[in-house]
């Protein structure tokens, strides 16, 4: 798993296999929808960078670029 920290949400979608399930959650807890992925950055990822992907889903905690990652 590559390190996507502070990269656009588009980066994992482009880098990972198209069969990988990716979920992006608002890291602030406000439950905002991630509509324009280019406006959001990855704050935290699961599985962690360096982990071997074996088909498991990827979860991203994300925030808008103009906001501080919590």
């Amino acid at each position: 798993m590559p390190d996507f920290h502070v990269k656009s949400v588009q980066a994992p979608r482009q880098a990972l296999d198209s069969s990988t399930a990716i979920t992006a959650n608002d890291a602030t807890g406000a439950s905002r929808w991630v509509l324009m992925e280019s406006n959001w950055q990855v704050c935290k990822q699961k599985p962690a960078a360096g982990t071997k992907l074996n088909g498991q889903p990827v979860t991203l905690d994300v925030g808008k670029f103009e906001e501080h990652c919590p």
Side-chain angles (χ1 to χ4, degrees):
M1 173 78 159
D3 185 3
F4 295 113
H5 185 252
V6 300
K7 293 184 180 172
S8 166
V9 173
Q10 289 177 323
R13 293 223 189 264
Q14 293 171 349
L16 299 176
D17 187 88
S18 62
S19 65
T20 303
I22 301 173
T23 303
N25 299 316
D26 183 356
T28 67
S31 300
R32 296 175 293 181
W33 290 83
V34 180
L35 299 177
M36 292 290 295
E37 291 183 342
S38 59
N39 294 339
W40 294 76
Q41 65 180 321
V42 176
C43 297
K44 199 187 300 183
Q45 66 185 57
K46 185 178 178 182
T51 303
K52 183 171 173 57
L53 285 179
N54 292 318
Q56 69 266 46
V58 172
T59 303
L60 308 172
D61 289 340
V62 301
K64 290 195 172 193
F65 274 108
E66 65 270 10
E67 301 171 347
H68 176 73
C69 278

